[in-house]
Amino acid sequence: MILTDGLRSLRAAVRLWVSPARVHEEGATPDYRFSLANERTFLAWLRTGLALVGGGFAVDQFLPRLHEGLRLIFTVVLLVGGALCALRAVNHWVRCERAMRRGEDLPVTRFPSALALGVGVLAVAMVVLVLLGRTD
C-alpha cells in the first residue's frame, strides 16, 4: 500500500513536470514577482546541471593520463550530478509554485547541501591528484 501510494504520488508529480498548467488549478495566483523568482531559481539549477555535465565531459576529454578508473568515476559522478540537478530543478520549481499558490511555506530540501558536499569532495580529490602530478 505504501509503495502504491508512493508510485501514485510520483506519477502525479511527473504529470505536473510535463504539464505545468495543472499547477494553476490549485489555490490562488501568487504575486507574479514570486513566480518569476521561482523561474529564475529553476534556470539557475539548470545552469548548474549543465556546468556539471560540461565538467564531466571535460574530465573525460582533457585528463587522458588520469588513471582510467578514477577518470571514469569523476566523469560519471559529474554527469549523474548534472542529470540529478536538472531533474531536481523541475521538481523544486513545481513544489515551490504549488506551495505559493496554496499559501504554504516553501518546501525544504537537502539537495543543495548534498550537491555542495559532492562537488567539494570531488574538487578536493582533483586538487590532491594535481598536487601529486597524477593528471599529466
Side-chain angles (χ1 to χ4, degrees):
M1 177 132 178
I2 293 173
L3 180 61
T4 306
D5 290 341
L7 288 174
R8 197 173 299 130
S9 176
L10 178 63
R11 196 174 324 127
V14 171
R15 250 184 282 155
L16 287 173
W17 295 4
V18 296
S19 181
R22 291 181 182 205
V23 172
H24 294 158
E25 296 170 3
E26 297 185 34
T29 302
D31 184 330
Y32 71 91
R33 293 173 292 182
F34 299 123
S35 290
L36 292 174
N38 190 28
E39 185 176 335
R40 286 190 299 273
T41 302
F42 167 75
L43 294 172
W45 278 104
L46 284 182
R47 285 190 300 274
T48 301
L50 284 171
L52 290 169
V53 168
F57 285 122
V59 166
D60 187 54
Q61 293 299 307
F62 298 118
L63 297 176
R65 296 181 62 186
L66 182 63
H67 184 273
E68 188 176 337
L70 285 176
R71 192 174 78 233
L72 181 64
I73 289 169
F74 289 173
T75 298
V76 169
V77 166
L78 287 166
L79 292 174
V80 168
L84 288 175
C85 231
L87 293 173
R88 185 65 182 141
V90 70
N91 184 49
H92 190 70
W93 175 81
V94 167
R95 290 174 60 214
C96 287
E97 197 65 29
R98 288 177 81 190
M100 288 188 297
R101 295 186 71 80
R102 293 174 175 173
E104 300 172 351
D105 290 339
L106 294 179
V108 177
T109 178
R110 292 186 184 125
F111 187 77
S113 300
L115 180 64
L117 183 62
V119 169
V121 167
L122 197 62
V124 168
M126 288 301 296
V127 167
V128 169
L129 290 171
V130 167
L131 291 175
L132 293 174
R134 303 280 171 105
T135 59
D136 296 336

